[in-house]
Amino acid sequence: MTLLSSSLPESAHDEIRRLLHGPCDPSALSALTTLRKALADDPGPVYGPGRGALLLRRLRALAEALPPGAGLLDDPARLAAVHACAAVADPSLCLAGLVHHLLCLGSLTELSDAPGTLEPRLSALREGRAKGVYLITEAGQANSHLATGTRADFDPADGSFVLHTPEPGAAKFGSAGTWGVEQTGVVLARLFVQGADRGVFAFMVGLTDEQGPLPGVELSSPIALDALPLDYVQVRFHRVRVEAAHWLSDGARIGRDGTAFHDPAGSPEQRLQRTLRVGQGLWAAMPAVAAATSRRTAVQAVDYARRRPTQSRLAPGAPLLSYRSQQTVVLGALADAFALTCAADGALAVRAGGWPAAPPGRDGKEAMGEEATGKEATGREAMGFTPWAAVSRPLAAYKAVTVRTAARLTAECQHRCGFSGHLSVNRLAAYQGFHHAFDTAGGDSQLIFYDIGRSLVEQEPEPRPPQEEQQAPDAGSPHWWPALLRRHQDDLVRELRRRGGADASLDPFERWNPLLERAGLLGEARAALLMADDVTRVLGRIRDHDLVRALTPLAALHGVLSARRWSGSLLTLGTLDPAEAEALSGVTDRLCDAVMEQLPLLIEVFDDYGDIGTAPAPPAASDAGTALAATLTWTRGGTS
C-alpha cells in the first residue's frame, strides 16, 4: 500500500486505514498488500479467447486475500476491500469477482439448506479452480426477473428437476462464455410442482468443463459489451437434469410424490425477494468499489491539473489548477470521492447488522433514513415496482447513489484530463464504463429510486416530537447539506402526496405513471441523504486535528456542489431561495481555497492505490508527453 508520511502520528495512520478500508483487521490489510502485488505482476485482460486460465489465476488471488474455506464470505468489510482493490487494477476482474463470490457463492452458501451436498463444485469455486456465474437476466423482455421464463419442473420419480428454456426470449444473459475452464452457474428459474407455479428459486447447474458446454447447455456466440467487457453469451437449457440436492431451496420443501409443498416465504412474491437477498452482499460492497476507483480518478485529475501548464491567452504557462473552473470540477471530484468513502462505511455497517451512529443531535434510525428495526432492515417490505428496494431499502439505495455518483465523477475527470483521460492505460474510461454499466446492473438504480420514492409517499407519516428551534448551519459547514437535503426530502414527499401519490383509491398505474419522475427524484434524495449523513458521522469520529482540518472543507465542498447540482428542484419547491442559491458560488470559491491549502495531505491520504493505479502514461505525470513517448516504438518510412 502507498506509504503515508512519517510526519503523521501513528494514531492518524490508523484513522486513515479505517477510513479507506473499513474495519479490516491487520491480517486483512496484509493480505491486501499481497493481492496488490499479485495483480500488478499478472497483467492482461481476463476475457477473450484463451484467457480462462488467467481469469482463474486472478480469481484464486482474490480468494487467497479472503478468509479460507467456509469463512470466505463471513467478513463483509474484507470482501469489499478485496473487490475494491480488484476494481482499481481491472474493473472487468472486479465484476467477475463480484459475480463469482457475492452472487454465485453467496447464493450457494445462503440459500442451500445443506451446503455439503454441493461438493465438489462448492470447494472448486471457493478455491478459484472453477468460475462462478449468476444467471438471472433473460433476453426477451424488460424486468425479466419479475416474469422469469426459465422453468424447473419437479420430477417426483427421483426428486430431481428438469431445467428448460421454453422459448428463445427466456435465454439467460451472463458472463458464461469463458471456454476451456469449469464454470458453475446459479440459475434462477420458475419452479413448477405438479403443474403449479411455486415461484422463482435458484439452482446450482454445471455449465461447462474444459472441453466446452455440458450436455443440455447451449451457449451463443460471444456478445460484445465494450463498456464493461467479459465473456458474455446467451445461455439456453434443453431439459437439463438437476439433482435434488442442487435445488437451493432456502427452507422450502416438496413431498416425495409432489403433493405437499411448503415454502416459508409464504407467497411467490416473497419467494422472489428471498431468492434475491444475496444481492445485499453485492450492494454492500459496491460503495467501497465506487469509492476506491473514485479516489484514484480524483487524485489523477488533481495531479494532472496542478502539473499541466496551459497556453491560454489569459495566463500563458499557468497550471490548469489555477483556474476556478478546473478547481470546481477536480477538487469537487476529490470531495465526492471522500463522500463515497464515507458511504462505504455506512453500507458496511448496515450489512453487518448494525446502524451507523447518528450525527450529533440526531436519532440514529432517522439519520439513516430508515427504521432501525422492522421491514426495511430485514427485507420483509411488500414489493413495489421491482423487488430490489423491498429486499433491503438502505443497501439498494447505497448501491444506486454510489455507482451513479462515481460514473458522473469519473466522466467529468476524464473530460478535464484531455486526451490523456481517454487513454486506456490510465483506466478512467474503464472506471467510467464499469460504474455506468452498474447503474443498470445489479438492480437498476432508477427503478430503485422510483420504489424508494413511492414507499416514502405511501407510508404513514411518522409523528416527530417538537424540537427546539435551532439556527441553520452556515453553507460552509459540512452539516449544511444534510440539513437542507432533509428539508427537501420532506418537501418532495408533501408535493407528491398533494399530487395524489398517497391516494389508494386510484389504480396504481394511473396514480404513479404521471409521478414517476418526481418519485425517482425523491428516492434519489433519500439515497443522497444517507451519504450526506455518513459524511458528517465519519468526520465526527476522526480525532487527529490535522486530518480534521484537511477533511472538513472537503466535506463541506461535497455538500455545496451537490446543492448546486440539485438547485433546480431545490428552487422549484422553495427549499432554497434564489439569494441563497446565488451565494453558493462564493462559498464554493472559499472552500476550494481551503482545500487547496490542504491538498498535499489530501493527495497523500487518497492516493492509497497509487502502486496499482498508475500506468506508463499517467495523466498526472509531470511531463505526460515525455512519459508516453518513453513507451512508444517508431517506424520510419524509407526515403524515395
Side-chain angles (χ1 to χ4, degrees), residues 172-207:
K172 297 289 189 182
F173 171 82
S175 56
T178 306
W179 290 73
V181 302
E182 178 183 321
Q183 295 185 103
T184 295
V186 168
V187 181
L188 269 65
R190 191 169 297 280
L191 173 61
F192 288 86
V193 180
Q194 290 194 329
D197 180 353
R198 298 301 188 179
V200 176
F201 285 84
F203 297 82
M204 186 181 79
V205 182
L207 301 176

Short mmCIF file of all heavy atoms in Angstrom, two decimals, residues 172-207:
data_model
loop_
_atom_site.label_atom_id
_atom_site.label_comp_id
_atom_site.label_asym_id
_atom_site.label_seq_id
_atom_site.Cartn_x
_atom_site.Cartn_y
_atom_site.Cartn_z
N LYS A 172 -30.97 -16.99 -21.00
CA LYS A 172 -30.28 -16.19 -19.99
C LYS A 172 -29.12 -15.42 -20.62
O LYS A 172 -28.48 -15.89 -21.57
CB LYS A 172 -29.74 -17.08 -18.87
CG LYS A 172 -30.80 -17.84 -18.07
CD LYS A 172 -31.61 -16.92 -17.19
CE LYS A 172 -32.51 -17.71 -16.25
NZ LYS A 172 -33.35 -16.81 -15.42
N PHE A 173 -28.84 -14.24 -20.07
CA PHE A 173 -27.69 -13.44 -20.48
C PHE A 173 -26.73 -13.35 -19.31
O PHE A 173 -27.14 -13.03 -18.18
CB PHE A 173 -28.12 -12.04 -20.91
CG PHE A 173 -26.97 -11.09 -21.14
CD1 PHE A 173 -26.27 -11.10 -22.33
CD2 PHE A 173 -26.56 -10.21 -20.14
CE1 PHE A 173 -25.20 -10.24 -22.54
CE2 PHE A 173 -25.50 -9.35 -20.33
CZ PHE A 173 -24.81 -9.36 -21.54
N GLY A 174 -25.46 -13.61 -19.57
CA GLY A 174 -24.47 -13.51 -18.49
C GLY A 174 -23.07 -13.78 -19.00
O GLY A 174 -22.85 -14.06 -20.19
N SER A 175 -22.11 -13.73 -18.08
CA SER A 175 -20.69 -13.89 -18.44
C SER A 175 -20.29 -15.35 -18.36
O SER A 175 -19.34 -15.71 -17.67
CB SER A 175 -19.82 -13.03 -17.53
OG SER A 175 -20.07 -13.36 -16.17
N ALA A 176 -21.00 -16.20 -19.10
CA ALA A 176 -20.77 -17.65 -19.05
C ALA A 176 -20.00 -18.15 -20.27
O ALA A 176 -19.97 -19.36 -20.51
CB ALA A 176 -22.12 -18.38 -18.95
N GLY A 177 -19.36 -17.26 -21.01
CA GLY A 177 -18.71 -17.66 -22.25
C GLY A 177 -17.23 -17.91 -22.14
O GLY A 177 -16.52 -17.85 -23.16
N THR A 178 -16.73 -18.20 -20.95
CA THR A 178 -15.30 -18.47 -20.78
C THR A 178 -15.03 -19.93 -21.10
O THR A 178 -15.32 -20.82 -20.29
CB THR A 178 -14.85 -18.14 -19.34
OG1 THR A 178 -15.22 -16.80 -19.02
CG2 THR A 178 -13.35 -18.31 -19.19
N TRP A 179 -14.47 -20.19 -22.25
CA TRP A 179 -14.23 -21.56 -22.71
C TRP A 179 -12.93 -22.10 -22.11
O TRP A 179 -12.02 -21.36 -21.78
CB TRP A 179 -14.14 -21.61 -24.23
CG TRP A 179 -15.47 -21.37 -24.89
CD1 TRP A 179 -16.14 -20.20 -24.99
CD2 TRP A 179 -16.29 -22.35 -25.54
NE1 TRP A 179 -17.33 -20.37 -25.66
CE2 TRP A 179 -17.45 -21.68 -26.00
CE3 TRP A 179 -16.16 -23.73 -25.75
CZ2 TRP A 179 -18.47 -22.34 -26.69
CZ3 TRP A 179 -17.18 -24.38 -26.44
CH2 TRP A 179 -18.31 -23.70 -26.89
N GLY A 180 -12.89 -23.41 -21.96
CA GLY A 180 -11.67 -24.08 -21.51
C GLY A 180 -11.53 -24.21 -20.02
O GLY A 180 -10.50 -24.70 -19.54
N VAL A 181 -12.55 -23.76 -19.25
CA VAL A 181 -12.49 -23.89 -17.79
C VAL A 181 -13.83 -24.42 -17.29
O VAL A 181 -14.84 -24.35 -17.98
CB VAL A 181 -12.17 -22.54 -17.10
CG1 VAL A 181 -10.85 -21.98 -17.58
CG2 VAL A 181 -13.30 -21.53 -17.32
N GLU A 182 -13.82 -24.92 -16.06
CA GLU A 182 -15.07 -25.35 -15.43
C GLU A 182 -15.85 -24.13 -14.97
O GLU A 182 -15.29 -23.24 -14.31
CB GLU A 182 -14.76 -26.25 -14.23
CG GLU A 182 -16.00 -26.72 -13.48
CD GLU A 182 -15.65 -27.56 -12.26
OE1 GLU A 182 -14.70 -28.37 -12.36
OE2 GLU A 182 -16.33 -27.40 -11.22
N GLN A 183 -17.12 -24.06 -15.34
CA GLN A 183 -18.00 -22.98 -14.89
C GLN A 183 -19.23 -23.58 -14.22
O GLN A 183 -19.85 -24.50 -14.76
CB GLN A 183 -18.45 -22.11 -16.06
CG GLN A 183 -17.33 -21.34 -16.75
CD GLN A 183 -17.88 -20.40 -17.81
OE1 GLN A 183 -17.99 -19.20 -17.63
NE2 GLN A 183 -18.24 -20.97 -18.95
N THR A 184 -19.56 -23.05 -13.06
CA THR A 184 -20.76 -23.45 -12.34
C THR A 184 -21.68 -22.24 -12.24
O THR A 184 -21.24 -21.16 -11.83
CB THR A 184 -20.42 -23.96 -10.94
OG1 THR A 184 -19.64 -25.16 -11.05
CG2 THR A 184 -21.68 -24.26 -10.14
N GLY A 185 -22.93 -22.42 -12.62
CA GLY A 185 -23.87 -21.31 -12.58
C GLY A 185 -24.91 -21.47 -11.50
O GLY A 185 -25.33 -22.58 -11.17
N VAL A 186 -25.31 -20.34 -10.93
CA VAL A 186 -26.54 -20.27 -10.15
C VAL A 186 -27.60 -19.72 -11.10
O VAL A 186 -27.48 -18.60 -11.59
CB VAL A 186 -26.38 -19.38 -8.91
CG1 VAL A 186 -27.74 -19.07 -8.28
CG2 VAL A 186 -25.47 -20.04 -7.90
N VAL A 187 -28.58 -20.55 -11.39
CA VAL A 187 -29.59 -20.22 -12.39
C VAL A 187 -30.92 -19.97 -11.70
O VAL A 187 -31.39 -20.82 -10.93
CB VAL A 187 -29.74 -21.37 -13.42
CG1 VAL A 187 -30.78 -21.01 -14.48
CG2 VAL A 187 -28.40 -21.69 -14.07
N LEU A 188 -31.53 -18.82 -11.95
CA LEU A 188 -32.84 -18.53 -11.41
C LEU A 188 -33.91 -19.03 -12.37
O LEU A 188 -33.88 -18.70 -13.57
CB LEU A 188 -33.01 -17.04 -11.15
CG LEU A 188 -32.59 -16.59 -9.74
CD1 LEU A 188 -31.10 -16.79 -9.53
CD2 LEU A 188 -32.98 -15.16 -9.47
N ALA A 189 -34.81 -19.86 -11.86
CA ALA A 189 -35.84 -20.48 -12.69
C ALA A 189 -37.14 -20.56 -11.92
O ALA A 189 -37.14 -20.61 -10.68
CB ALA A 189 -35.41 -21.88 -13.14
N ARG A 190 -38.22 -20.60 -12.65
CA ARG A 190 -39.55 -20.71 -12.04
C ARG A 190 -39.85 -22.18 -11.77
O ARG A 190 -39.83 -23.00 -12.69
CB ARG A 190 -40.60 -20.09 -12.97
CG ARG A 190 -41.97 -19.91 -12.33
CD ARG A 190 -42.87 -19.06 -13.20
NE ARG A 190 -42.32 -17.71 -13.36
CZ ARG A 190 -42.44 -16.74 -12.46
NH1 ARG A 190 -43.09 -16.98 -11.32
NH2 ARG A 190 -41.92 -15.56 -12.69
N LEU A 191 -40.10 -22.48 -10.50
CA LEU A 191 -40.34 -23.86 -10.10
C LEU A 191 -41.81 -24.25 -10.32
O LEU A 191 -42.72 -23.54 -9.90
CB LEU A 191 -39.99 -24.02 -8.61
CG LEU A 191 -40.34 -25.36 -7.97
CD1 LEU A 191 -39.59 -26.51 -8.64
CD2 LEU A 191 -40.05 -25.32 -6.47
N PHE A 192 -41.99 -25.39 -10.98
CA PHE A 192 -43.33 -25.96 -11.17
C PHE A 192 -43.38 -27.32 -10.49
O PHE A 192 -42.52 -28.17 -10.72
CB PHE A 192 -43.66 -26.10 -12.65
CG PHE A 192 -43.93 -24.79 -13.35
CD1 PHE A 192 -42.89 -24.03 -13.86
CD2 PHE A 192 -45.23 -24.30 -13.46
CE1 PHE A 192 -43.13 -22.82 -14.49
CE2 PHE A 192 -45.49 -23.09 -14.08
CZ PHE A 192 -44.43 -22.34 -14.60
N VAL A 193 -44.38 -27.49 -9.64
CA VAL A 193 -44.61 -28.76 -8.94
C VAL A 193 -46.02 -29.21 -9.30
O VAL A 193 -47.00 -28.52 -8.98
CB VAL A 193 -44.46 -28.60 -7.41
CG1 VAL A 193 -44.70 -29.95 -6.73
CG2 VAL A 193 -43.06 -28.07 -7.07
N GLN A 194 -46.11 -30.35 -10.00
CA GLN A 194 -47.39 -30.87 -10.49
C GLN A 194 -48.15 -29.78 -11.25
O GLN A 194 -49.36 -29.61 -11.10
CB GLN A 194 -48.23 -31.41 -9.34
CG GLN A 194 -47.68 -32.69 -8.72
CD GLN A 194 -48.67 -33.39 -7.83
OE1 GLN A 194 -49.52 -32.75 -7.20
NE2 GLN A 194 -48.60 -34.72 -7.79
N GLY A 195 -47.40 -29.04 -12.07
CA GLY A 195 -48.01 -28.02 -12.91
C GLY A 195 -48.28 -26.71 -12.23
O GLY A 195 -48.67 -25.74 -12.90
N ALA A 196 -48.09 -26.60 -10.92
CA ALA A 196 -48.37 -25.37 -10.19
C ALA A 196 -47.10 -24.52 -10.07
O ALA A 196 -46.03 -25.03 -9.74
CB ALA A 196 -48.91 -25.69 -8.80
N ASP A 197 -47.23 -23.23 -10.36
CA ASP A 197 -46.12 -22.29 -10.26
C ASP A 197 -45.86 -21.98 -8.79
O ASP A 197 -46.72 -21.44 -8.08
CB ASP A 197 -46.51 -21.01 -11.02
CG ASP A 197 -45.42 -19.95 -10.98
OD1 ASP A 197 -44.42 -20.13 -10.27
OD2 ASP A 197 -45.59 -18.91 -11.66
N ARG A 198 -44.64 -22.32 -8.31
CA ARG A 198 -44.29 -22.11 -6.91
C ARG A 198 -43.30 -20.97 -6.69
O ARG A 198 -42.78 -20.80 -5.59
CB ARG A 198 -43.71 -23.41 -6.33
CG ARG A 198 -44.68 -24.58 -6.34
CD ARG A 198 -45.93 -24.26 -5.54
NE ARG A 198 -46.81 -25.44 -5.38
CZ ARG A 198 -47.95 -25.41 -4.71
NH1 ARG A 198 -48.38 -24.28 -4.17
NH2 ARG A 198 -48.68 -26.51 -4.59
N GLY A 199 -43.06 -20.17 -7.71
CA GLY A 199 -42.18 -19.03 -7.56
C GLY A 199 -40.78 -19.28 -8.10
O GLY A 199 -40.45 -20.37 -8.58
N VAL A 200 -39.94 -18.26 -8.01
CA VAL A 200 -38.60 -18.29 -8.58
C VAL A 200 -37.59 -18.72 -7.52
O VAL A 200 -37.46 -18.08 -6.48
CB VAL A 200 -38.22 -16.92 -9.15
CG1 VAL A 200 -36.78 -16.92 -9.66
CG2 VAL A 200 -39.17 -16.53 -10.29
N PHE A 201 -36.89 -19.82 -7.82
CA PHE A 201 -35.84 -20.35 -6.96
C PHE A 201 -34.51 -20.36 -7.71
O PHE A 201 -34.46 -20.21 -8.94
CB PHE A 201 -36.17 -21.78 -6.52
CG PHE A 201 -37.23 -21.88 -5.47
CD1 PHE A 201 -38.58 -21.88 -5.83
CD2 PHE A 201 -36.90 -22.00 -4.13
CE1 PHE A 201 -39.57 -21.98 -4.86
CE2 PHE A 201 -37.88 -22.10 -3.16
CZ PHE A 201 -39.22 -22.10 -3.52
N ALA A 202 -33.44 -20.56 -6.96
CA ALA A 202 -32.11 -20.69 -7.54
C ALA A 202 -31.70 -22.16 -7.57
O ALA A 202 -32.05 -22.93 -6.66
CB ALA A 202 -31.10 -19.88 -6.74
N PHE A 203 -30.96 -22.54 -8.61
CA PHE A 203 -30.47 -23.91 -8.79
C PHE A 203 -28.99 -23.85 -9.15
O PHE A 203 -28.56 -22.98 -9.94
CB PHE A 203 -31.23 -24.63 -9.90
CG PHE A 203 -32.69 -24.81 -9.62
CD1 PHE A 203 -33.60 -23.78 -9.86
CD2 PHE A 203 -33.17 -26.01 -9.12
CE1 PHE A 203 -34.95 -23.94 -9.59
CE2 PHE A 203 -34.52 -26.18 -8.85
CZ PHE A 203 -35.42 -25.14 -9.09
N MET A 204 -28.20 -24.76 -8.59
CA MET A 204 -26.80 -24.89 -8.99
C MET A 204 -26.71 -25.81 -10.20
O MET A 204 -27.19 -26.95 -10.16
CB MET A 204 -25.95 -25.45 -7.85
CG MET A 204 -24.46 -25.46 -8.20
SD MET A 204 -23.41 -26.14 -6.89
CE MET A 204 -23.67 -27.90 -7.14
N VAL A 205 -26.08 -25.31 -11.27
CA VAL A 205 -26.05 -26.05 -12.53
C VAL A 205 -24.64 -25.98 -13.10
O VAL A 205 -24.06 -24.89 -13.24
CB VAL A 205 -27.04 -25.46 -13.56
CG1 VAL A 205 -27.04 -26.27 -14.84
CG2 VAL A 205 -28.45 -25.38 -12.96
N GLY A 206 -24.06 -27.13 -13.43
CA GLY A 206 -22.80 -27.14 -14.17
C GLY A 206 -23.02 -26.65 -15.58
O GLY A 206 -23.93 -27.12 -16.28
N LEU A 207 -22.20 -25.69 -16.03
CA LEU A 207 -22.37 -25.11 -17.36
C LEU A 207 -21.34 -25.62 -18.36
O LEU A 207 -21.70 -26.02 -19.47
CB LEU A 207 -22.27 -23.58 -17.26
CG LEU A 207 -23.29 -22.88 -16.36
CD1 LEU A 207 -22.99 -21.39 -16.29
CD2 LEU A 207 -24.71 -23.13 -16.86
#
